[in-house]
Amino acid sequence: MADTKDAQATVSDGGAEYLIRHTTLRQLQVLEAICRLGSFTRAAEELFLSQPTVSMQIKKLADTLGTPLFRQTGRSVEPTDAGRQVYASCREILGSLSNLDVKLSDLKQLRRGRLRLGVLTTAASVAPEILGAFCLRYPGIDVSLQVTNREHIAERLRAHDDDLYVTGQPREDDDEIETTPFAPNPLVMVARADHPLVQERDIPLARLAGENLILREPGSGIRDAVLKHFTALGVQPQVRMELGSNEAIKHAIVGGLGISALSLHSLTLESAGGQLALLDVEGFPIMRRWHLVYWRGRELSLVARTFLDFAMEYEPEVRARLAEAQAAFDRTRLKHSRPEEPA
Ligand code: PGA
């Protein structure tokens, strides 16, 4: 049925659909060359085709369009009015194809492109640094970075909002996502530097039951990990407040509102001494790990694949920064635990 209908269709009643089915890019290319060069022979030479092939392509195109495209004038050919119209369209189509070719080759060589990254709040301090180094190497790539909690990252992943994610521990049974283990993400218990527990070692978790605990918002991976740890050890925390940002939590600790668990990554700037200190509490640091994750059913773009490899190369630097932060906190604690030197 469809074939009969198709055979009966003409260029005037079939419109673009008819042309798409019956013309070829090769025919358009041949017509363009003949018009530009003013000769079938020269067009054949330029396209490395035989002259009969060129004539055949033009005949098929003219049949499809239902109108002659060239007329003989003496020894040369010139396009008819219809031929001129087709020529104008051909130039647009072929021009746009050659632009596409340039754009694709730019993409292949990573001269241009776009990277959409979704990261956990705990990676907010690390991701911009890696992106900065990446953009130095590939300056033509536009980057968008979304920072949000574990639950929202999972939603973004399901909705395919970004190319790649830095997330926590993926569910083991989730075979729809591809995961690459990335840097460690230790959760540490943080207090104000003058908190009485700062100088104590091996603090049992039960000792924290009487402390005001500041928790992240529901949906946060840190919150889940901390509550799970308290439950596992049978300790009931005294939750003083919930805050939706790691930065706000740091300010609340400094403000004397309580203690909280944070990723050591989010404390690198504070590690050199100052208003925050780590508590040596049973079960802390809670050792977690980030993962680079993407949806298995969707092919990773070249830019995203390149970023993934770049981030893996950068990982030792992230680890080193973490070790430095831990060492700096340890030094500060030691300094404060030594009795004052006699004058
Ligand atoms: P989040 O981060 O608390 O912002 O969800 C969790 C994590 O680092 O695992």
Side-chain angles (χ1 to χ4, degrees):
M1 246 330 248
D3 282 354
T4 324
K5 197 173 148 225
D6 190 41
Q8 285 165 355
T10 67
V11 66
S12 51
D13 65 21
E17 170 70 16
Y18 181 85
L19 292 179
I20 289 167
R21 283 176 186 236
H22 296 279
T23 57
T24 65
L25 286 172
R26 189 54 147 176
Q27 290 166 359
L28 300 185
Q29 186 193 32
V30 168
L31 179 130
E32 192 278 336
I34 299 169
C35 291
R36 181 165 41 81
L37 300 169
S39 136
F40 275 54
T41 314
R42 283 163 63 195
E45 277 165 16
E46 183 178 283
L47 297 173
F48 300 106
L49 295 173
S50 68
Q51 197 163 342
T53 305
V54 164
S55 303
M56 178 56 73
Q57 296 284 356
I58 292 301
K59 182 176 177 326
K60 280 191 188 153
L61 183 60
D63 287 350
T64 301
L65 298 177
T67 177
L69 297 168
F70 292 97
R71 70 174 141 255
Q72 195 73 37
T73 52
R75 297 186 56 170
S76 62
V77 286
E78 69 175 28
T80 59
D81 286 347
R84 253 186 269 282
Q85 278 300 326
V86 180
Y87 176 55
S89 295
C90 278
R91 289 183 65 90
E92 276 175 35
I93 294 167
L94 298 175
S96 146
L97 280 178
S98 86
N99 280 345
L100 175 64
D101 188 49
V102 170
K103 283 186 197 144
L104 289 179
S105 102
D106 276 359
L107 276 181
K108 280 187 208 138
Q109 290 165 43
L110 296 164
R111 281 199 291 256
R112 225 175 285 172
R114 189 168 159 72
L115 174 68
R116 291 166 309 170
L117 205 60
V119 308
L120 282 178
T121 66
T122 50
S125 50
V126 171
E129 181 186 316
I130 304 177
L131 278 175
F134 182 72
C135 290
L136 268 185
R137 192 179 294 177
Y138 303 103
I141 291 178
D142 295 331
V143 170
S144 89
L145 175 66
Q146 296 296 324
V147 179
T148 187
N149 69 24
R150 181 181 168 89
E151 187 175 293
H152 289 127
I153 286 285
E155 281 167 13
R156 294 187 71 85
L157 177 65
R158 276 195 297 275
H160 308 300
D161 284 339
D162 312 279
D163 302 311
L164 195 64
Y165 299 86
V166 178
T167 181
Q169 193 66 45
R171 278 200 354 245
E172 269 159 28
D173 58 346
D174 202 340
D175 53 11
E176 287 187 302
I177 56 173
E178 190 68 47
T179 57
T180 309
F182 190 50
N185 176 26
L187 301 187
V188 290
M189 191 53 85
V190 188
R192 199 159 83 168
D194 60 2
H195 193 287
L197 290 179
V198 170
Q199 294 309 327
E200 294 201 20
R201 316 293 299 166
D202 301 325
I203 306 163
L205 190 70
R207 291 272 307 273
L208 299 192
E211 296 289 328
N212 288 323
L213 186 67
I214 306 168
L215 270 190
R216 282 277 306 280
E217 78 288 359
S220 145
I222 302 186
R223 176 196 174 99
D224 290 350
V226 170
L227 290 180
K228 223 160 127 195
H229 183 53
F230 273 81
T231 308
L233 296 193
V235 179
Q236 177 70 40
Q238 180 180 307
V239 178
R240 168 82 188 265
M241 59 160 45
E242 287 181 1
L243 286 176
S245 111
N246 299 324
E247 282 306 303
I249 288 182
K250 288 195 250 175
H251 287 285
I253 298 172
V254 172
L257 290 168
I259 60 173
S260 186
L262 289 168
S263 163
L264 186 55
H265 288 284
S266 54
L267 292 161
T268 47
L269 295 182
E270 287 79 7
S271 63
Q275 297 168 300
L276 297 177
L278 307 189
L279 297 183
D280 181 15
V281 179
E282 180 183 12
F284 282 87
I286 299 177
M287 284 314 288
R288 292 151 65 81
R289 194 158 191 184
W290 284 326
H291 292 75
L292 297 168
V293 169
Y294 63 91
W295 198 256
R296 202 166 261 168
R298 286 185 103 203
E299 183 150 0
L300 205 53
S301 73
L302 181 68
V303 174
R305 156 73 47 208
T306 308
F307 179 78
L308 196 152
D309 295 342
F310 185 89
M312 291 308 292
E313 265 174 47
Y314 203 90
E315 200 240 16
E317 203 142 326
V318 177
R319 277 176 188 269
R321 195 78 41 81
L322 205 57
E324 269 167 37
Q326 181 66 57
F329 272 118
D330 292 347
R331 273 198 303 277
T332 317
R333 189 206 319 256
L334 265 178
K335 205 163 77 195
H336 291 301
S337 65
R338 278 201 210 107
E340 291 279 310
E341 302 268 322

